[in-house]
Short mmCIF file of all heavy atoms in Angstrom, two decimals:
data_model
loop_
_atom_site.label_atom_id
_atom_site.label_comp_id
_atom_site.label_asym_id
_atom_site.label_seq_id
_atom_site.Cartn_x
_atom_site.Cartn_y
_atom_site.Cartn_z
N ALA A 221 -7.23 1.79 -17.67
CA ALA A 221 -8.35 2.65 -17.42
C ALA A 221 -8.11 4.14 -17.78
O ALA A 221 -8.98 4.95 -17.55
CB ALA A 221 -8.72 2.55 -15.93
N GLY A 222 -6.97 4.43 -18.31
CA GLY A 222 -6.69 5.82 -18.66
C GLY A 222 -6.44 6.69 -17.44
O GLY A 222 -6.30 6.21 -16.32
N CYS A 223 -6.50 8.00 -17.63
CA CYS A 223 -6.13 8.89 -16.59
C CYS A 223 -7.12 8.83 -15.40
O CYS A 223 -6.80 9.21 -14.30
CB CYS A 223 -6.11 10.37 -17.07
SG CYS A 223 -7.66 10.91 -17.78
N SER A 224 -8.33 8.34 -15.62
CA SER A 224 -9.28 8.19 -14.50
C SER A 224 -8.76 7.23 -13.44
O SER A 224 -9.26 7.25 -12.29
CB SER A 224 -10.65 7.72 -14.99
OG SER A 224 -10.51 6.40 -15.57
N ALA A 225 -7.80 6.41 -13.80
CA ALA A 225 -7.29 5.41 -12.81
C ALA A 225 -6.31 6.07 -11.83
O ALA A 225 -6.06 5.47 -10.78
CB ALA A 225 -6.60 4.27 -13.54
N LEU A 226 -5.76 7.20 -12.14
CA LEU A 226 -4.73 7.77 -11.26
C LEU A 226 -5.20 8.04 -9.84
O LEU A 226 -4.52 7.63 -8.88
CB LEU A 226 -4.15 9.05 -11.88
CG LEU A 226 -3.04 8.86 -12.90
CD1 LEU A 226 -2.72 10.17 -13.59
CD2 LEU A 226 -1.81 8.29 -12.22
N PRO A 227 -6.34 8.74 -9.63
CA PRO A 227 -6.76 8.94 -8.26
C PRO A 227 -6.96 7.64 -7.51
O PRO A 227 -6.59 7.51 -6.33
CB PRO A 227 -8.06 9.72 -8.38
CG PRO A 227 -7.96 10.38 -9.72
CD PRO A 227 -7.20 9.39 -10.61
N LEU A 228 -7.56 6.64 -8.17
CA LEU A 228 -7.79 5.35 -7.53
C LEU A 228 -6.45 4.70 -7.20
O LEU A 228 -6.30 4.05 -6.15
CB LEU A 228 -8.64 4.46 -8.48
CG LEU A 228 -9.00 3.07 -7.95
CD1 LEU A 228 -9.91 3.23 -6.71
CD2 LEU A 228 -9.73 2.30 -9.00
N PHE A 229 -5.50 4.81 -8.11
CA PHE A 229 -4.17 4.16 -7.94
C PHE A 229 -3.55 4.70 -6.61
O PHE A 229 -3.09 3.89 -5.79
CB PHE A 229 -3.29 4.47 -9.11
CG PHE A 229 -1.89 4.02 -8.96
CD1 PHE A 229 -1.53 2.69 -9.09
CD2 PHE A 229 -0.87 4.93 -8.66
CE1 PHE A 229 -0.21 2.25 -8.96
CE2 PHE A 229 0.46 4.50 -8.51
CZ PHE A 229 0.77 3.16 -8.67
N TYR A 230 -3.56 6.01 -6.41
CA TYR A 230 -2.91 6.53 -5.25
C TYR A 230 -3.74 6.37 -3.97
O TYR A 230 -3.18 6.29 -2.89
CB TYR A 230 -2.56 8.04 -5.48
CG TYR A 230 -1.43 8.20 -6.37
CD1 TYR A 230 -1.55 8.67 -7.67
CD2 TYR A 230 -0.12 7.87 -5.98
CE1 TYR A 230 -0.50 8.78 -8.55
CE2 TYR A 230 0.99 8.00 -6.83
CZ TYR A 230 0.78 8.48 -8.11
OH TYR A 230 1.87 8.56 -8.97
N LYS A 231 -5.07 6.33 -4.12
CA LYS A 231 -5.94 6.14 -2.97
C LYS A 231 -5.88 4.70 -2.46
O LYS A 231 -5.80 4.44 -1.28
CB LYS A 231 -7.38 6.50 -3.32
CG LYS A 231 -8.35 6.38 -2.18
CD LYS A 231 -9.73 6.81 -2.61
CE LYS A 231 -10.72 6.69 -1.46
NZ LYS A 231 -12.11 7.08 -1.87
N ARG A 232 -5.92 3.76 -3.42
CA ARG A 232 -5.99 2.33 -3.01
C ARG A 232 -4.62 1.63 -3.01
O ARG A 232 -4.49 0.57 -2.49
CB ARG A 232 -6.88 1.61 -4.05
CG ARG A 232 -8.34 2.07 -4.10
CD ARG A 232 -9.12 1.67 -2.85
NE ARG A 232 -10.47 2.16 -2.91
CZ ARG A 232 -11.48 1.62 -3.56
NH1 ARG A 232 -11.26 0.53 -4.26
NH2 ARG A 232 -12.68 2.14 -3.53
N GLY A 233 -3.61 2.28 -3.65
CA GLY A 233 -2.33 1.62 -3.74
C GLY A 233 -1.74 1.14 -2.43
O GLY A 233 -1.30 -0.04 -2.33
N PRO A 234 -1.71 1.97 -1.37
CA PRO A 234 -1.16 1.52 -0.12
C PRO A 234 -1.90 0.30 0.48
O PRO A 234 -1.31 -0.61 0.99
CB PRO A 234 -1.27 2.74 0.80
CG PRO A 234 -1.24 3.90 -0.13
CD PRO A 234 -1.99 3.43 -1.36
N SER A 235 -3.24 0.34 0.34
CA SER A 235 -4.06 -0.81 0.88
C SER A 235 -3.78 -2.08 0.07
O SER A 235 -3.65 -3.16 0.64
CB SER A 235 -5.50 -0.44 0.80
OG SER A 235 -5.80 0.64 1.63
N VAL A 236 -3.69 -1.96 -1.30
CA VAL A 236 -3.43 -3.16 -2.10
C VAL A 236 -2.05 -3.70 -1.78
O VAL A 236 -1.85 -4.93 -1.66
CB VAL A 236 -3.60 -2.80 -3.57
CG1 VAL A 236 -3.17 -3.99 -4.48
CG2 VAL A 236 -5.04 -2.45 -3.90
N ALA A 237 -1.03 -2.79 -1.72
CA ALA A 237 0.31 -3.26 -1.44
C ALA A 237 0.42 -3.91 -0.04
O ALA A 237 1.07 -4.93 0.13
CB ALA A 237 1.29 -2.08 -1.56
N LEU A 238 -0.27 -3.31 0.92
CA LEU A 238 -0.24 -3.86 2.26
C LEU A 238 -0.95 -5.26 2.27
O LEU A 238 -0.45 -6.19 2.93
CB LEU A 238 -0.96 -2.93 3.25
CG LEU A 238 -1.01 -3.40 4.70
CD1 LEU A 238 0.41 -3.55 5.26
CD2 LEU A 238 -1.84 -2.42 5.55
N TRP A 239 -2.04 -5.39 1.59
CA TRP A 239 -2.71 -6.71 1.51
C TRP A 239 -1.76 -7.72 0.90
O TRP A 239 -1.70 -8.84 1.39
CB TRP A 239 -3.98 -6.54 0.61
CG TRP A 239 -4.57 -7.88 0.28
CD1 TRP A 239 -5.46 -8.61 1.07
CD2 TRP A 239 -4.36 -8.65 -0.92
NE1 TRP A 239 -5.77 -9.78 0.40
CE2 TRP A 239 -5.12 -9.85 -0.81
CE3 TRP A 239 -3.60 -8.45 -2.07
CZ2 TRP A 239 -5.14 -10.80 -1.79
CZ3 TRP A 239 -3.60 -9.40 -3.05
CH2 TRP A 239 -4.38 -10.56 -2.89
N TRP A 240 -1.02 -7.38 -0.15
CA TRP A 240 -0.12 -8.32 -0.78
C TRP A 240 0.97 -8.71 0.20
O TRP A 240 1.33 -9.90 0.32
CB TRP A 240 0.48 -7.70 -2.06
CG TRP A 240 1.33 -8.61 -2.87
CD1 TRP A 240 0.93 -9.47 -3.83
CD2 TRP A 240 2.77 -8.76 -2.74
NE1 TRP A 240 2.05 -10.17 -4.34
CE2 TRP A 240 3.13 -9.74 -3.66
CE3 TRP A 240 3.72 -8.19 -1.92
CZ2 TRP A 240 4.46 -10.15 -3.79
CZ3 TRP A 240 5.05 -8.59 -2.08
CH2 TRP A 240 5.39 -9.57 -2.99
N LEU A 241 1.58 -7.74 0.86
CA LEU A 241 2.66 -8.05 1.81
C LEU A 241 2.14 -8.89 2.97
O LEU A 241 2.82 -9.82 3.39
CB LEU A 241 3.26 -6.75 2.35
CG LEU A 241 4.15 -5.97 1.39
CD1 LEU A 241 4.41 -4.57 1.90
CD2 LEU A 241 5.48 -6.70 1.15
N ASP A 242 0.94 -8.56 3.44
CA ASP A 242 0.36 -9.32 4.54
C ASP A 242 0.08 -10.76 4.16
O ASP A 242 0.35 -11.71 4.91
CB ASP A 242 -0.91 -8.67 4.98
CG ASP A 242 -1.40 -9.18 6.35
OD1 ASP A 242 -0.59 -9.79 7.07
OD2 ASP A 242 -2.57 -8.98 6.68
N ASP A 243 -0.30 -11.00 2.88
CA ASP A 243 -0.56 -12.32 2.39
C ASP A 243 0.71 -13.16 2.40
O ASP A 243 0.73 -14.33 2.69
CB ASP A 243 -1.14 -12.27 0.99
CG ASP A 243 -1.42 -13.63 0.38
OD1 ASP A 243 -2.03 -14.50 1.07
OD2 ASP A 243 -1.03 -13.85 -0.77
N TYR A 244 1.82 -12.49 2.03
CA TYR A 244 3.12 -13.21 1.93
C TYR A 244 3.85 -13.30 3.25
O TYR A 244 4.66 -14.19 3.47
CB TYR A 244 4.01 -12.54 0.90
CG TYR A 244 3.72 -13.08 -0.53
CD1 TYR A 244 2.65 -12.64 -1.24
CD2 TYR A 244 4.61 -13.99 -1.09
CE1 TYR A 244 2.40 -13.12 -2.49
CE2 TYR A 244 4.37 -14.45 -2.39
CZ TYR A 244 3.25 -14.00 -3.08
OH TYR A 244 3.01 -14.56 -4.31
N LEU A 245 3.59 -12.36 4.20
CA LEU A 245 4.37 -12.30 5.39
C LEU A 245 3.61 -12.50 6.68
O LEU A 245 4.21 -12.64 7.76
CB LEU A 245 5.09 -10.92 5.47
CG LEU A 245 6.13 -10.62 4.38
CD1 LEU A 245 6.55 -9.17 4.44
CD2 LEU A 245 7.33 -11.55 4.54
N ALA A 246 2.26 -12.54 6.60
CA ALA A 246 1.43 -12.72 7.82
C ALA A 246 1.84 -11.73 8.92
O ALA A 246 2.30 -12.08 10.02
CB ALA A 246 1.58 -14.17 8.31
N LEU A 247 1.71 -10.43 8.57
CA LEU A 247 2.17 -9.38 9.46
C LEU A 247 1.31 -9.33 10.74
O LEU A 247 0.13 -9.62 10.74
CB LEU A 247 2.03 -8.04 8.79
CG LEU A 247 2.81 -7.87 7.45
CD1 LEU A 247 2.50 -6.55 6.78
CD2 LEU A 247 4.31 -8.05 7.67
N ASP A 248 1.90 -8.91 11.85
CA ASP A 248 1.18 -8.65 13.04
C ASP A 248 0.63 -7.25 13.01
O ASP A 248 0.95 -6.45 12.07
CB ASP A 248 1.98 -8.96 14.30
CG ASP A 248 3.21 -8.07 14.49
OD1 ASP A 248 3.15 -6.88 14.00
OD2 ASP A 248 4.20 -8.47 15.09
N ALA A 249 -0.14 -6.85 14.03
CA ALA A 249 -0.80 -5.58 14.04
C ALA A 249 0.16 -4.42 14.00
O ALA A 249 -0.01 -3.44 13.22
CB ALA A 249 -1.74 -5.43 15.25
N ALA A 250 1.24 -4.47 14.76
CA ALA A 250 2.24 -3.39 14.77
C ALA A 250 2.93 -3.29 13.43
O ALA A 250 3.19 -2.16 12.93
CB ALA A 250 3.24 -3.63 15.89
N GLN A 251 3.25 -4.42 12.83
CA GLN A 251 3.93 -4.40 11.52
C GLN A 251 3.03 -3.84 10.47
O GLN A 251 3.44 -3.05 9.59
CB GLN A 251 4.33 -5.82 11.13
CG GLN A 251 5.49 -6.41 11.95
CD GLN A 251 5.71 -7.86 11.69
OE1 GLN A 251 4.76 -8.59 11.44
NE2 GLN A 251 6.96 -8.29 11.82
N ARG A 252 1.72 -4.13 10.55
CA ARG A 252 0.77 -3.61 9.55
C ARG A 252 0.67 -2.08 9.65
O ARG A 252 0.67 -1.39 8.67
CB ARG A 252 -0.60 -4.23 9.71
CG ARG A 252 -0.74 -5.64 9.08
CD ARG A 252 -2.18 -6.09 8.98
NE ARG A 252 -2.74 -6.32 10.26
CZ ARG A 252 -2.67 -7.52 10.97
NH1 ARG A 252 -2.02 -8.51 10.38
NH2 ARG A 252 -3.23 -7.64 12.11
N ARG A 253 0.59 -1.59 10.87
CA ARG A 253 0.52 -0.15 11.08
C ARG A 253 1.72 0.54 10.48
O ARG A 253 1.63 1.54 9.80
CB ARG A 253 0.32 0.21 12.57
CG ARG A 253 -1.05 -0.10 13.08
CD ARG A 253 -1.25 0.53 14.46
NE ARG A 253 -0.30 0.03 15.42
CZ ARG A 253 -0.53 -1.01 16.22
NH1 ARG A 253 -1.69 -1.69 16.10
NH2 ARG A 253 0.39 -1.41 17.09
N ALA A 254 2.93 0.06 10.88
CA ALA A 254 4.16 0.71 10.43
C ALA A 254 4.29 0.60 8.88
O ALA A 254 4.74 1.58 8.22
CB ALA A 254 5.37 0.08 11.12
N THR A 255 3.97 -0.54 8.34
CA THR A 255 4.12 -0.78 6.91
C THR A 255 3.14 0.10 6.14
O THR A 255 3.45 0.65 5.10
CB THR A 255 3.91 -2.26 6.59
OG1 THR A 255 4.89 -3.01 7.28
CG2 THR A 255 4.14 -2.47 5.09
N ARG A 256 1.90 0.21 6.64
CA ARG A 256 0.92 1.04 5.95
C ARG A 256 1.39 2.50 5.92
O ARG A 256 1.25 3.17 4.91
CB ARG A 256 -0.46 0.93 6.60
CG ARG A 256 -1.47 1.84 5.92
CD ARG A 256 -2.90 1.62 6.38
NE ARG A 256 -3.77 2.53 5.68
CZ ARG A 256 -4.23 2.34 4.48
NH1 ARG A 256 -3.91 1.19 3.82
NH2 ARG A 256 -5.02 3.19 3.84
N ALA A 257 1.88 3.00 7.02
CA ALA A 257 2.40 4.36 7.08
C ALA A 257 3.53 4.57 6.06
O ALA A 257 3.60 5.59 5.36
CB ALA A 257 2.86 4.73 8.47
N ALA A 258 4.43 3.56 6.02
CA ALA A 258 5.55 3.72 5.05
C ALA A 258 5.04 3.65 3.60
O ALA A 258 5.55 4.36 2.75
CB ALA A 258 6.51 2.52 5.27
N LEU A 259 4.03 2.85 3.32
CA LEU A 259 3.49 2.76 1.98
C LEU A 259 2.77 4.06 1.58
O LEU A 259 2.92 4.51 0.44
CB LEU A 259 2.50 1.59 1.87
CG LEU A 259 3.13 0.18 1.87
CD1 LEU A 259 2.07 -0.87 2.10
CD2 LEU A 259 3.86 -0.04 0.57
N VAL A 260 2.07 4.67 2.52
CA VAL A 260 1.43 5.95 2.25
C VAL A 260 2.48 6.99 1.87
O VAL A 260 2.36 7.73 0.95
CB VAL A 260 0.58 6.41 3.47
CG1 VAL A 260 0.13 7.87 3.30
CG2 VAL A 260 -0.67 5.50 3.60
N ASP A 261 3.58 7.00 2.64
CA ASP A 261 4.68 7.94 2.36
C ASP A 261 5.24 7.66 0.96
O ASP A 261 5.56 8.61 0.23
CB ASP A 261 5.76 7.81 3.42
CG ASP A 261 5.33 8.39 4.75
OD1 ASP A 261 4.38 9.12 4.78
OD2 ASP A 261 6.03 8.06 5.78
N TRP A 262 5.42 6.39 0.62
CA TRP A 262 6.02 6.03 -0.67
C TRP A 262 5.14 6.52 -1.81
O TRP A 262 5.57 7.09 -2.75
CB TRP A 262 6.31 4.52 -0.80
CG TRP A 262 7.01 4.18 -2.04
CD1 TRP A 262 8.38 4.07 -2.17
CD2 TRP A 262 6.44 3.91 -3.35
NE1 TRP A 262 8.69 3.71 -3.45
CE2 TRP A 262 7.55 3.64 -4.18
CE3 TRP A 262 5.17 3.89 -3.84
CZ2 TRP A 262 7.36 3.32 -5.55
CZ3 TRP A 262 4.99 3.61 -5.19
CH2 TRP A 262 6.08 3.31 -6.01
N PHE A 263 3.81 6.30 -1.68
CA PHE A 263 2.91 6.71 -2.76
C PHE A 263 2.85 8.24 -2.88
O PHE A 263 2.71 8.74 -3.97
CB PHE A 263 1.54 6.11 -2.51
CG PHE A 263 1.37 4.72 -3.07
CD1 PHE A 263 1.81 3.64 -2.33
CD2 PHE A 263 0.79 4.48 -4.31
CE1 PHE A 263 1.69 2.33 -2.83
CE2 PHE A 263 0.67 3.18 -4.81
CZ PHE A 263 1.12 2.14 -4.07
N GLN A 264 2.95 8.95 -1.75
CA GLN A 264 2.99 10.40 -1.84
C GLN A 264 4.29 10.88 -2.54
O GLN A 264 4.26 11.82 -3.37
CB GLN A 264 2.89 10.97 -0.42
CG GLN A 264 1.54 10.80 0.23
CD GLN A 264 1.53 11.27 1.66
OE1 GLN A 264 2.54 11.40 2.31
NE2 GLN A 264 0.32 11.52 2.14
N TRP A 265 5.39 10.24 -2.18
CA TRP A 265 6.64 10.52 -2.87
C TRP A 265 6.51 10.30 -4.38
O TRP A 265 6.90 11.13 -5.22
CB TRP A 265 7.80 9.72 -2.34
CG TRP A 265 9.00 9.68 -3.22
CD1 TRP A 265 10.00 10.63 -3.29
CD2 TRP A 265 9.33 8.68 -4.19
NE1 TRP A 265 10.93 10.27 -4.25
CE2 TRP A 265 10.49 9.09 -4.80
CE3 TRP A 265 8.73 7.51 -4.61
CZ2 TRP A 265 11.14 8.35 -5.84
CZ3 TRP A 265 9.32 6.79 -5.64
CH2 TRP A 265 10.53 7.21 -6.22
N HIS A 266 5.91 9.15 -4.71
CA HIS A 266 5.78 8.78 -6.15
C HIS A 266 4.94 9.82 -6.86
O HIS A 266 5.30 10.28 -7.99
CB HIS A 266 5.16 7.39 -6.22
CG HIS A 266 5.19 6.84 -7.61
ND1 HIS A 266 4.22 7.09 -8.52
CD2 HIS A 266 6.07 6.04 -8.21
CE1 HIS A 266 4.46 6.47 -9.67
NE2 HIS A 266 5.62 5.82 -9.52
#
């Protein structure tokens, strides 16, 4: 999608990654909250 994809990548990336992890690990509510926060931090670092 070219450079127009960058904002979408960082906005949606944590949600997409969390969805993938949840699909593979069946996370509980506490795990989802902690993992989402960690993913947001990782995308900000990136």
Side-chain angles (χ1 to χ4, degrees):
C223 60
S224 63
L226 274 172
L228 183 64
F229 174 78
Y230 286 108
K231 182 178 180 180
R232 300 285 178 83
S235 296
V236 173
L238 181 61
W239 170 83
W240 186 88
L241 286 167
D242 195 16
D243 179 49
Y244 273 77
L245 295 170
L247 303 175
D248 63 29
Q251 289 170 329
R252 281 194 292 273
R253 286 193 298 271
T255 302
R256 179 173 180 80
L259 287 166
V260 169
D261 288 344
W262 186 92
F263 275 81
Q264 290 174 340
W265 164 83
H266 189 274

